[in-house]
Amino acid sequence: MMSNLSSATEFCLLGFPGSQELHHFLFAIFFLFYLVTLIGNTVIIVIVCVDKRLRSPMYFFLGHLSALEIFVTTIIVPVMLWGLLLPGMQTISLAACVTQLFLYLAVGTTEFALLGAMAVDRYVAVCNPLRYNIIMNSRTCICVVIVSWMFGFLSEIWPVYATFQFTFCKSNQLDHFFCDRGQLLKLSCDDTLFTEFVLFLMAVVIIIGSLAPTIVSYTYIISTILKIPTASGRRKAFSTCASHFTFVVIGYGTCLFLFVKPKQTQAAEYNKIVSLLISVLTPLLNPFIFTLRNDKVKEAIQDQMNWCCPLVKD
């Protein structure tokens, strides 16, 4: 316990319970997942940049989405892996804790904004294909990406600032594998109820604000697809949206459980499980969702492999 007059200058991350053998097993599993995530999302970024067939708004947004997935997992997983290797508790400085929490929330918010933009892109492609290249031109796409990144980072400045204005004097032990905001608020000696409510409202506005264009876009998309007379035509139209729709369901589903809750200081074990889904599972699935269901991406990867193999043999 700490003095009631002092605030923590560093925190101890309790991480995962269990024996050292269990920690080593978890380290091997999460390290493998991390490598697959880095390789898979990097491959997507490279393919989008070098293959001319993928020079379209959808793949431009996909490249940025893959970059965001690399960032979100890199912000969390290396710290978690290091904690699994240490025999005791892992410490993190106050400055590092602030930085980690800010980047984690900012990248997550940017991803929400980008998913909303990708939904609108799919709406234009399916419902207004003749004007698609005019509406979704390169200038529009660049502006959308810049606004998404700026919104994500600027919108999280105040929430993180407000979180660290409290005095953390109950303890300096965080029952998590990274600087989770809910666990930080549990350590505060101050009344956090009003701030928690404001943070809850901000989370609702951010998620609903990005989810609304997604819902509206897919309502029109489904309505348009159902009007196509042939089954093959309907399948072809929906195949252009299937990957994004799958990712939206997974991404929003996990984040709704974690961020949109009236009480930020809920059970630590619940937070750990959902945080793993967001920082490990979702980035891991991204390359598979957007490649296994996309013939253009698979063809581009196959062509690049065929081009690289003769060079390696030579």
Side-chain angles (χ1 to χ4, degrees), residues 106-249:
V107 169
T109 304
T110 303
E111 189 168 313
F112 281 137
L114 191 61
L115 285 174
M118 292 175 73
V120 175
D121 169 72
R122 292 299 82 206
Y123 158 74
V124 178
V126 174
C127 301
N128 204 346
L130 297 179
R131 298 190 62 197
Y132 179 71
N133 291 330
I134 298 174
I135 298 173
M136 300 302 297
N137 56 59
S138 59
R139 183 178 179 180
T140 300
C141 294
I142 292 171
C143 288
V144 166
V145 166
I146 291 174
V147 169
S148 297
W149 282 87
M150 289 182 63
F151 172 76
F153 278 75
L154 293 177
S155 64
E156 293 299 337
I157 292 177
W158 184 86
V160 174
Y161 172 80
T163 300
F164 287 94
Q165 288 304 296
F166 295 113
T167 302
F168 305 109
C169 56
K170 289 183 179 179
S171 172
N172 70 335
Q173 295 185 1
L174 279 173
D175 191 6
H176 217 295
F177 51 81
F178 78 104
C179 282
D180 175 66
R181 181 166 60 193
Q183 297 306 309
L184 281 167
L185 294 175
K186 289 179 69 175
L187 305 182
S188 174
C189 300
D190 306 316
D191 183 6
T192 63
L193 185 61
F194 177 73
T195 300
E196 287 185 52
F197 179 69
V198 174
L199 294 175
F200 165 71
L201 289 180
M202 291 187 67
V204 170
V205 170
I206 289 173
I207 292 184
I208 297 301
S210 60
L211 189 58
T214 302
I215 294 174
V216 172
S217 295
Y218 274 102
T219 300
Y220 280 104
I221 288 171
I222 293 172
S223 175
T224 301
I225 289 176
L226 292 177
K227 294 177 183 178
I228 299 176
T230 62
S232 60
R234 289 192 294 269
R235 282 195 300 269
K236 184 178 179 180
F238 186 74
S239 67
T240 63
C241 311
S243 298
H244 176 261
F245 183 78
T246 303
F247 192 84
V248 164
V249 172

